[in-house]
Amino acid sequence: MLEIAGLDAFYGDAQALHGVDLRVGEGEVVTLVGRNGAGKTTLLRAVMGLHHDVRGTITFDGEDITAMPPQHRARRGLGWVQDDRGIYASLSVEENLTLPPVTDPAKAWSTEQVYQAFPVLADRRRAAGTTLSGGEQQMLAMARVLRTGARLLLLDEPSEGLAPVIVQLIRDILLKIKAQGTTVLLVEQNVKFAASVADRHYVLAQGAVATDLDNAEFTARQDELLEYLGM
Ligand code: ATP
């Protein structure tokens, strides 16, 4: 579904990504793990078209999208969930949910489907964005993108800053999303969380792919990875 070949990314004279090759197959959940500054967010932003200074190619469903603006990528089915979650504080849960336009009516989750998958959002549909916990904000941010019709979810550290019980909830939701056929590429620093949701993993180091592992290999090497990642 997504294929990245020889991707370089730059911030002015500084090169943040060096020849990254990566694939995500339809229905897969794939993580990007790596230390702070390894280039994970830059890679995710480049896939969404939010980081322009790149060389190499990004292909989605066989189409070269490297030079395509983000809104056109959204129409093709890419959905971006930023790390600060981007919830509008003055709007209600339902207003936040229904604000972004549906980009693919055939794939878009209905509001009812969202509320079935995320019952906590149904309970809080009239609550203001300001009153949501970190976990509820994360759920709303994911639900909002699914409602637009995204088929590839790009998630930047969904477990960051959340209490362990909420991290479990987010994990269950990711597994539910996967079961519904949505493909996910996520940045994740939490190795245990990554191992519990994903099919495959790319370990980034200094802007390059150090290794890619299936989940069995990744799980077997968890302790080594924790040490390597400095956690
Ligand atoms: P983190 O987990 O800390 O977000 P990351 O793996 O997502 O790390 P990036 O944020 O993609 O890494 O950063 C990759 C490299 O690009 C780092 O060396 C970082 O300092 C640099 N970088 C990131 N954003 C900018 C920016 N706006 N201007 C200049 N350099 C940047």
Side-chain angles (χ1 to χ4, degrees):
M1 182 183 234
L2 177 72
E3 189 158 351
I4 297 173
L7 194 73
D8 298 330
F10 303 86
Y11 291 96
D13 292 336
Q15 188 166 354
L17 295 178
H18 302 262
V20 170
D21 295 326
L22 177 150
R23 288 165 151 267
V24 182
E26 182 128 32
E28 275 194 312
V29 175
V30 174
T31 72
L32 301 171
V33 300
R35 288 175 183 243
N36 288 340
K40 306 177 298 294
T41 297
T42 303
L43 180 52
L44 217 57
R45 290 176 58 86
V47 172
M48 194 63 215
L50 300 167
H51 187 86
H52 306 283
D53 198 355
V54 297
R55 272 195 317 237
T57 54
I58 305 172
T59 310
F60 183 66
D61 281 346
E63 182 181 16
D64 185 345
I65 60 165
T66 317
M68 196 180 271
Q71 63 274 24
H72 292 189
R73 297 186 202 212
R75 261 182 245 144
R76 301 290 193 282
L78 278 88
W80 163 251
V81 182
Q82 65 211 62
D83 54 356
D84 72 0
R85 293 152 194 161
I87 303 302
Y88 295 101
S90 59
L91 300 183
S92 70
V93 164
E94 189 146 301
E95 286 164 341
N96 266 286
L97 186 63
T98 53
L99 189 68
V102 170
T103 49
D104 183 349
K107 303 284 183 205
W109 289 31
S110 67
T111 311
E112 273 326 300
Q113 271 175 302
V114 165
Y115 286 148
Q116 267 173 22
F118 303 82
V120 67
L121 298 182
D123 295 344
R124 310 220 52 204
R125 68 178 83 186
R126 309 264 170 259
T130 31
T131 66
L132 299 184
S133 67
E136 288 165 348
Q137 287 184 29
Q138 182 61 51
M139 283 182 235
L140 178 53
M142 288 162 66
R144 183 167 61 182
V145 170
L146 292 167
R147 207 201 62 91
T148 65
R151 291 180 295 122
L152 171 61
L153 229 56
L154 304 167
L155 294 173
D156 200 347
E157 297 216 43
S159 76
E160 190 187 16
L162 302 180
V165 59
I166 308 297
V167 172
Q168 275 198 26
L169 205 66
I170 299 292
R171 189 200 56 196
D172 293 346
I173 286 168
L174 268 174
L175 294 174
K176 205 182 267 185
I177 288 170
K178 177 179 158 68
Q180 302 222 4
T182 303
T183 311
V184 181
L185 176 62
L186 73 153
V187 166
E188 191 49 69
Q189 297 257 44
N190 178 337
V191 167
K192 285 208 160 71
F193 180 85
S196 71
V197 291
D199 301 300
R200 289 191 303 111
H201 310 265
Y202 287 87
V203 181
L204 291 187
Q206 293 169 351
V209 174
T211 182
D212 62 289
L213 302 166
D214 67 28
N215 199 38
E217 294 168 298
F218 185 86
T219 304
R221 292 175 58 184
Q222 252 185 66
D223 291 344
E224 181 195 333
L225 285 161
L226 283 168
E227 195 167 329
Y228 171 74
L229 297 170
M231 288 168 206

